[in-house]
């Protein structure tokens, strides 16, 4: 593996509040993007991409907007005080809380949806910067997501243009000469998380530059972040624990009992399902 220089990450300062129709290429250049060099990777928060693309929708109830963006419910939990969290698959194939619907820093009575096609958005910004500045840069569109099995959140790549999203080490060897069989770091997610360390969540720094991984920058038609989403047929955790138990219980009971006594008919319920309505 070739030697790599140190990684440098810094935010672009002075980016204004983004309004619908804003030219993000121009915004980035004015905020210091004119100092970009070949091989730099920009990480752009999805919120400003959504704002520029006018992804605001009128929604007095955020839950209604989440329902509209949901393709499949993975898990749902309600706390004793009545607050419900839904983990869902959205129309982009991403599994996340609240389908990516954002109600923070939006006008009253509105919510902000994710970009229609984050990969296309990233490619468009990358192409615009390359044309205007004459440098080959890559762009990652990021969003904050939770992780199964771990507390807290971190930024992930939901769109990518001109950036390799994986570093495929399969077929190589480790430092001891052992073969690498499954090692394929998702470098796009790693870059998104690194950029968030300097962007922050409430500092109005929605764009960061990562320098030092020029080896990941390439053609604009490289596979985007959609390729990171694991296909359902390979998803070993497509349901939450309680939901998987209930589904298995219902399927097993339905195969052993007459239809009128099956859980689906209300005749028998798993203990975790709670009282019948």
């Amino acid at each position: 593996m070739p030697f790599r220089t140190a990684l440098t990450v810094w935010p672009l300062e002075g980016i204004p509040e983004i309004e619908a129709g804003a030219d993000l290429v121009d915004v980035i250049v004015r905020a210091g993007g004119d100092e970009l060099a070949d091989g730099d990777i920009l990480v752009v928060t999805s919120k400003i991409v959504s704002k520029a693309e006018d992804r605001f929708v009128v929604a007095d109830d955020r839950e209604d907007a989440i329902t509209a963006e949901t393709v499949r419910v993975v898990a749902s939990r309600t706390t004793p005080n009545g607050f419900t969290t839904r983990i869902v698959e959205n129309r982009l194939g991403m599994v996340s809380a609240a389908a990516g619907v954002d109600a923070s820093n939006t006008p009253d009575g509105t919510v902000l949806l994710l970009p229609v096609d984050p990969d296309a958005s990233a490619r468009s910004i990358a192409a615009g910067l390359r044309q205007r500045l004459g440098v080959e840069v890559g762009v990652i569109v990021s969003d904050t997501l939770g992780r199964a099995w771990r507390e807290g959140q971190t930024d992930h790549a939901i769109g990518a243009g001109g950036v390799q999203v994986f570093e495929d080490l399969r077929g190589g060897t480790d430092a001891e000469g052992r073969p690498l069989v499954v090692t394929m770091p998702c470098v796009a997610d790693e870059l998104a998380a690194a950029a968030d360390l300097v962007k922050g969540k409430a500092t109005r720094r929605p764009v960061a530059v990562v320098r030092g991984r020029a080896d990941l920058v390439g053609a604009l038609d490289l596979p985007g972040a959609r390729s990171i989403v694991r296909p359902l047929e390979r998803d070993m955790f497509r349901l939450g624990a309680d939901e998987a138990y209930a589904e298995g219980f219902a399927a097993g009971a339905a195969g052993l009992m007459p239809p009128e006594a099956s859980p689906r008919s209300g005749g028998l319920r798993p203990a975790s399902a709670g009282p019948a309505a």
Side-chain angles (χ1 to χ4, degrees):
M1 183 177 298
F3 173 76
R4 298 194 183 111
T5 59
L7 199 70
T8 307
V9 187
W10 71 93
L12 294 184
E13 304 283 0
I15 291 181
E17 179 64 27
I18 301 299
E19 299 180 352
D23 182 344
L24 291 183
V25 171
D26 186 65
V27 168
I28 290 169
V29 171
R30 290 176 179 272
D34 55 345
E35 297 181 1
L36 292 172
D38 283 336
D40 285 348
I41 299 171
L42 289 95
V43 181
V44 182
T45 303
S46 62
K47 176 172 283 190
I48 69 167
V49 177
S50 291
K51 287 183 174 181
E53 296 179 358
D54 197 14
R55 294 287 289 154
F56 292 100
V57 296
V58 176
D60 293 329
D61 186 348
R62 178 172 177 249
E63 294 302 313
D64 291 341
I66 294 171
T67 298
E69 288 290 290
T70 295
V71 173
R72 175 175 64 92
V73 176
V74 176
S76 179
R77 300 290 182 273
T78 301
T79 63
N81 62 5
F83 180 78
T84 299
T85 297
R86 285 186 284 172
I87 307 298
V88 304
E89 177 188 342
N90 67 10
R91 57 183 176 73
L92 297 172
M94 294 167 43
V95 174
S96 65
V101 176
D102 192 348
S104 62
N105 297 317
T106 62
D108 289 341
T110 68
V111 296
L112 191 64
L113 308 182
L114 292 173
V116 172
D117 186 342
D119 283 331
S121 301
R123 287 193 295 269
S124 177
I125 297 170
L129 290 169
R130 290 182 182 198
Q131 181 178 22
R132 180 158 174 179
L133 301 175
V135 293
E136 189 175 68
V137 298
V139 172
I140 289 171
V141 174
S142 68
D143 194 35
T144 303
L145 301 174
R147 291 88 41 80
W149 309 297
R150 301 179 73 83
E151 296 288 352
Q153 302 82 33
T154 184
D155 268 27
H156 294 68
I158 67 168
V163 181
Q164 296 180 40
V165 296
F166 294 109
E167 188 171 25
D168 195 345
L169 303 179
R170 294 172 299 180
T173 58
D174 65 13
E176 302 299 326
R178 301 184 184 92
L180 298 173
V181 179
V182 297
T183 306
M184 191 172 70
C186 184
V187 287
D189 281 351
E190 293 176 329
L191 292 168
D196 192 51
L197 293 174
V198 300
K199 286 190 300 172
K201 297 300 181 189
T203 57
R204 294 190 181 276
R205 293 172 172 172
V207 181
V209 181
V210 181
R211 180 171 291 172
R213 288 307 308 263
D215 58 304
L216 299 176
V217 177
L220 292 174
D221 61 356
L222 284 168
R226 188 62 184 258
S227 65
I228 299 172
V229 177
R230 179 168 288 159
L232 190 61
E233 63 271 17
R234 298 211 311 266
D235 186 357
M236 297 174 65
F237 310 99
R238 65 179 182 84
L239 291 174
D242 289 354
E243 288 75 15
Y245 175 85
E247 183 179 277
F249 185 97
L256 295 173
M257 302 175 187
E260 63 273 11
S262 72
R264 295 182 185 276
S265 68
L268 181 65
R269 298 171 60 83
S272 62

